[in-house]
Amino acid sequence: MAKLINLRTFKSFLNSSTGGGILLFVFLIISLIIANTALAEPFNSLLTTVIGYESETIHLKYSIALWINDGLMAIFFLLVGLEIKRELVEGELSSPRQAALPILAAIGGAVVPAIIYSGFNLGLETAHGWGIPMATDIAFALAVISMLGDRVPASLKIFLAALAIVDDLLAILVIAFFYSTELHTTYLLYAGAIFALLMLFNRFGVKSIWMYIVPGVFIWYFIHHSGIHATIAGVLVAMTLPTTVDAKESPLEKLEHILAKPVNFIIVPLFALVNTNITFQSEMIGGLSSHMGLGIIVGLFLGKTLGIFTTCYICIKSGLAKLPELASWKHIVGVGMLGGIGFTMSIFVSLLSFNDPLHIEEAKLAILVGSIISGVSGYMFLNAVSKKHSKRYLGV
């Protein structure tokens, strides 16, 4: 009986909307513990271990850390790309009226933090990190708002999900155009040719998922060697998967369902384990009040809140969009705060922004602090607002 209950509990955890966020938080704590104990050195040695295959023509020999950040995270971006395309075809972004508010709010919520960071770091060697506070972590943000349950309107959760998806698309574009190294056009042409082939598969109705995944591996290889960050390959492949607006499960939806749990319960927590291993040093605390640290923290918390709320206010007052059903302006403020949880994507951008290991560690700590402030503030604010309005959401 006990085993049956434990199995049910495990299945319930896997199927819950908060499970991925909870596991991500657990791995974050484990990573911090490892980094500040005797396990730090052997763990770092493990991450720098080089594995793979290399010959005169094929170069696939990298450290375990790079395989996770460039390889497994490409699968994360593949899932993000699938979610973006599905929303564009049949979801919250499928019509101009529906899409206007989350798209414009995501843009505002990305631009304002970047401006704030740039203001703090103008002319400094850390100025290149302006993309760090632009991102919202989907898993964490949705986990926090899901913890509020019926105390917030369902439309608000949908709005946050759509906003976070657009936010990820913006982050992908920023990485592709501003955080890539020297371009090698030959490899790009190879990748472009395979991408065109996948588009033809889509055009002629090829339904087999493997007909997209196998060529997609080659796209990853060529993009990895082109100078553009390899994870962009995941998004490109996702855009070629066919989908439909009817109830029948499309190849895109099938692949999305296959990837959802491995990404949320394995890949993203593993990324957190590898990249949140911050060894606390006395000089790093001072880094929180440095130009870079303040740019990240203020950008994530204040920048996201101001950017999302102000953009929503302009859109709604101008008649371009309307508030989510049963939501108030206070709810938009709370969502703006939750938008400041920038954990996964922000850390990813910080790894691309700096060469100095100390800058990277200080950026990670600032991201952690800014995300915690945003998450706790957003939860407490929305919880306080919900005490006055919760009956309306339940239709009572």
Side-chain angles (χ1 to χ4, degrees), residues 80-128:
V80 170
L82 295 172
E83 292 172 344
I84 291 171
K85 182 171 181 179
R86 177 173 49 78
E87 292 293 332
L88 287 169
V89 174
E90 55 181 306
E92 288 299 307
L93 307 176
S94 59
S95 72
R97 183 71 173 175
Q98 286 178 298
L101 193 63
I103 288 177
L104 294 174
I107 294 172
V111 171
V112 174
I115 292 173
I116 289 175
Y117 181 93
S118 297
F120 276 105
N121 293 271
L122 191 64
L124 302 177
E125 61 179 346
T126 52
H128 192 53

Side-chain angles (χ1 to χ4, degrees), residues 48-304:
T48 55
T49 301
V50 176
I51 58 175
Y53 173 79
E54 189 170 26
S55 66
E56 291 184 3
T57 55
I58 299 174
H59 305 280
L60 281 172
K61 202 169 186 179
Y62 307 111
S63 68
I64 290 175
L66 193 142
W67 275 115
I68 292 170
N69 291 336
D70 284 23
L72 290 183
M73 285 301 284
I75 301 174
F76 165 79
F77 277 86
L78 172 60
L79 179 61
V80 170
L82 295 172
E83 292 172 344
I84 291 171
K85 182 171 181 179
R86 177 173 49 78
E87 292 293 332
L88 287 169
V89 174
E90 55 181 306
E92 288 299 307
L93 307 176
S94 59
S95 72
R97 183 71 173 175
Q98 286 178 298
L101 193 63
I103 288 177
L104 294 174
I107 294 172
V111 171
V112 174
I115 292 173
I116 289 175
Y117 181 93
S118 297
F120 276 105
N121 293 271
L122 191 64
L124 302 177
E125 61 179 346
T126 52
H128 192 53
W130 56 268
I132 295 172
M134 292 178 67
T136 295
D137 189 289
I138 293 179
F140 265 147
L142 293 182
V144 172
I145 201 169
S146 294
M147 288 165 60
L148 291 163
D150 292 328
R151 285 170 286 173
V152 295
S155 62
L156 201 67
K157 299 173 187 177
I158 296 171
F159 170 68
L160 177 60
L163 184 151
I165 287 170
V166 176
D167 193 287
D168 271 354
L169 176 59
L170 293 174
I172 289 164
L173 293 174
V174 166
I175 290 169
F177 288 106
F178 299 101
Y179 289 95
S180 296
T181 55
E182 182 183 353
L183 296 181
H184 299 278
T185 53
T186 302
Y187 286 115
L188 277 180
L189 289 173
Y190 291 155
I194 300 174
F195 178 73
L197 176 66
L198 295 187
M199 293 296 288
L200 285 175
F201 286 169
N202 183 308
R203 178 70 180 82
F204 289 106
V206 176
K207 303 294 184 183
S208 172
I209 291 175
W210 290 108
M211 292 295 289
Y212 297 90
I213 296 300
V214 173
V217 173
F218 288 93
I219 291 180
W220 177 89
Y221 176 83
F222 291 129
I223 287 185
H224 180 75
H225 286 77
S226 74
I228 295 177
H229 202 273
T231 50
I232 303 302
V235 181
L236 291 176
V237 174
M239 292 299 116
T240 66
L241 267 289
T243 189
T244 58
V245 296
D246 56 37
K248 185 178 180 181
E249 186 179 56
S250 66
L252 182 147
E253 291 165 332
K254 184 178 180 180
L255 182 58
E256 187 179 352
H257 293 154
I258 292 171
L259 293 178
K261 284 184 173 60
V263 167
N264 293 327
F265 289 91
I266 298 175
I267 293 175
V268 174
L270 192 58
F271 175 84
L273 180 68
V274 169
N275 293 290
T276 322
N277 58 330
I278 306 167
T279 302
F280 293 112
Q281 304 169 25
S282 56
E283 58 266 30
M284 287 175 61
I285 304 301
L288 293 176
S289 58
S290 68
H291 292 279
M292 179 184 66
L294 288 174
I296 292 172
I297 295 170
V298 176
L300 283 173
F301 178 61
L302 187 60
K304 278 288 184 180

